[in-house]
Amino acid sequence: MTPSPQTLTAERILEATEEVLRRHGPAKATVVDVARALGVSHGSVYRHFSTKAALREAVTKRWLDRTSDSLSGIVAEDRDPEARLRDWFTALFAAKRRKAGDDPELFATYMVLTEESGGAVGEHLAELIGQLRRMVQAGVDAGTFSTDDPDATARALFHASRRFHDPRYAPEWEQPGTEAEFDAVVDLLLRGLKA
């Protein structure tokens, strides 16, 4: 038997929550609004997410995972470690800029939610740093990069490039010269990794 298209799933709830947040903002969006958008009782939503905080954490995680998932393909590629690392930084910056520029209201909403969602944000940052570590290690294994501590190096790379992916810097991302500054930082980081 094929499930009804109206079957309530966690994914449907998250999609509806994102739309409700877009319309009402984080201060006014409620679980009742989400349930109303889905045509179900708020109790049905609570069967999937036990609290409003759990729902907000899940929608924040989903939003952050879109970025880390899109970058994982670059990490998995079998090619020059330096080019792969450069492409990863470029894709991360582009993804963050898109999020800030394509839907500024939703971006502002997620800025509020990420402040509330320490767990989701912490997991996201750990995933991104883990991706960097895997690429640094691949570069060391290939003889392209030199470091005794790929973990510390990955954290340093992430923090050194923060201006181009930390959402707090979003207002600067469209300023003239930002692309050149990004390229200069990535060039410096890659030169510092050379074996």
Side-chain angles (χ1 to χ4, degrees):
M1 175 188 276
T2 305
S4 159
Q6 297 304 314
T7 300
L8 189 62
T9 63
E11 185 60 26
R12 277 192 65 220
I13 293 169
L14 293 174
E15 288 170 6
T17 302
E18 192 169 280
E19 189 53 41
V20 166
L21 287 166
R22 183 180 283 114
R23 261 187 278 131
H24 301 293
K28 294 183 180 178
T30 67
V31 174
V32 172
D33 293 327
V34 173
R36 189 176 301 121
L38 290 164
V40 300
S41 72
H42 65 282
S44 297
V45 174
Y46 283 125
R47 278 193 277 288
H48 289 271
F49 299 96
S50 60
T51 65
K52 178 181 178 181
L55 177 58
R56 289 165 76 109
E57 178 90 8
V59 80
T60 302
K61 181 179 182 331
R62 179 178 183 256
W63 185 69
L64 294 169
D65 285 351
R66 288 180 189 143
T67 299
S68 51
D69 291 349
S70 71
L71 296 170
S72 64
I74 296 170
V75 176
E77 292 173 358
D78 183 19
R79 61 185 178 98
D80 175 57
E82 183 177 344
R84 205 166 23 139
L85 195 54
R86 180 180 299 279
D87 289 350
W88 188 90
F89 279 119
T90 301
L92 176 61
F93 186 31
K96 297 292 183 160
R97 285 172 89 179
R98 245 186 336 274
K99 284 184 177 191
D102 290 354
D103 196 344
E105 294 81 16
L106 192 58
F107 185 78
T109 293
Y110 277 111
M111 288 297 294
V112 171
L113 294 181
T114 57
E115 292 297 320
E116 297 174 359
S117 301
V121 172
E123 288 173 23
H124 175 68
L125 298 179
E127 171 62 23
L128 295 179
I129 292 169
Q131 289 181 1
L132 279 170
R133 188 202 56 73
R134 289 190 294 280
M135 289 186 293
V136 168
Q137 185 63 59
V140 169
D141 294 346
T144 304
F145 299 151
S146 177
T147 180
D148 294 331
D149 188 345
D151 290 323
T153 300
R155 283 190 301 279
L157 290 168
F158 188 77
H159 295 301
S161 62
R162 175 168 263 150
R163 178 171 174 245
F164 305 102
H165 54 78
D166 185 326
R168 288 176 278 215
Y169 292 96
E172 299 176 16
W173 293 342
E174 298 304 324
Q175 297 296 319
T178 300
E179 290 286 338
E181 292 168 3
F182 169 78
D183 289 338
V185 167
V186 173
D187 287 347
L188 179 66
L189 294 174
L190 291 173
R191 276 196 308 273
L193 282 172
K194 295 272 177 134

